[in-house]
Amino acid sequence: MSYLLEAVTSTAADLGANKILAINLVVGERTSLVDDAMTFCWDMLAHDTLAEGATLNIRRTRMTFHCAGCATDYPPEGANFDCPSCQAIGQMNDDGNELLIESIEIRS
Ligand SMILES: [Zn+2]
């Protein structure tokens, strides 16, 4: 989380912001981060920085599977990981594990 804070505050400083109002994050659903824990951690880290009091907006991306048999990418249906086209069992794509800063909202 601290690298995130550094990235956000340095971007905001470059933009001449006095305050960061909100941070929009994209988080893969496979990350172990829990929204409540992130928000709590964030409030502590952001204390006395430009980001103090900023709202964390967290958007989860869905993981997808790839079927080698018919080259289809598909999101799993609940606990069913089979390919919807040919019912083969696909491989999990190496995504759904990211943490990206989509945008920030600032006041200058
Ligand atoms: Zn398939």
Side-chain angles (χ1 to χ4, degrees):
M1 287 302 280
S2 58
Y3 91 89
L4 182 69
L5 180 66
E6 280 168 31
V8 166
T9 52
S10 72
T11 302
D14 288 348
L15 295 169
N18 290 316
K19 186 166 171 49
I20 300 172
L21 301 177
I23 298 141
N24 300 312
L25 294 177
V26 180
V27 179
E29 70 176 1
R30 271 168 63 205
T31 57
S32 54
L33 295 167
V34 180
D35 295 5
D36 284 350
M38 282 180 76
T39 304
F40 179 74
C41 180
W42 179 261
D43 286 345
M44 301 222 307
L45 280 173
H47 187 65
D48 281 339
T49 73
L50 286 176
E52 182 166 8
T55 306
L56 269 191
N57 297 315
I58 300 167
R59 186 162 67 81
R60 295 267 167 179
T61 56
R62 294 204 66 188
M63 66 177 172
T64 56
F65 279 66
H66 178 79
C67 174
C70 63
T72 302
D73 286 307
Y74 58 95
E77 295 284 337
N80 177 16
F81 299 155
D82 297 350
C83 173
S85 302
C86 68
Q87 278 72 51
I89 297 173
Q91 292 287 315
M92 192 183 290
N93 278 326
D94 192 21
D95 60 7
N97 214 0
E98 69 265 306
L99 176 60
L100 295 171
I101 303 165
E102 191 169 55
S103 61
I104 61 175
E105 292 163 34
I106 58 171
R107 191 172 68 206
S108 53

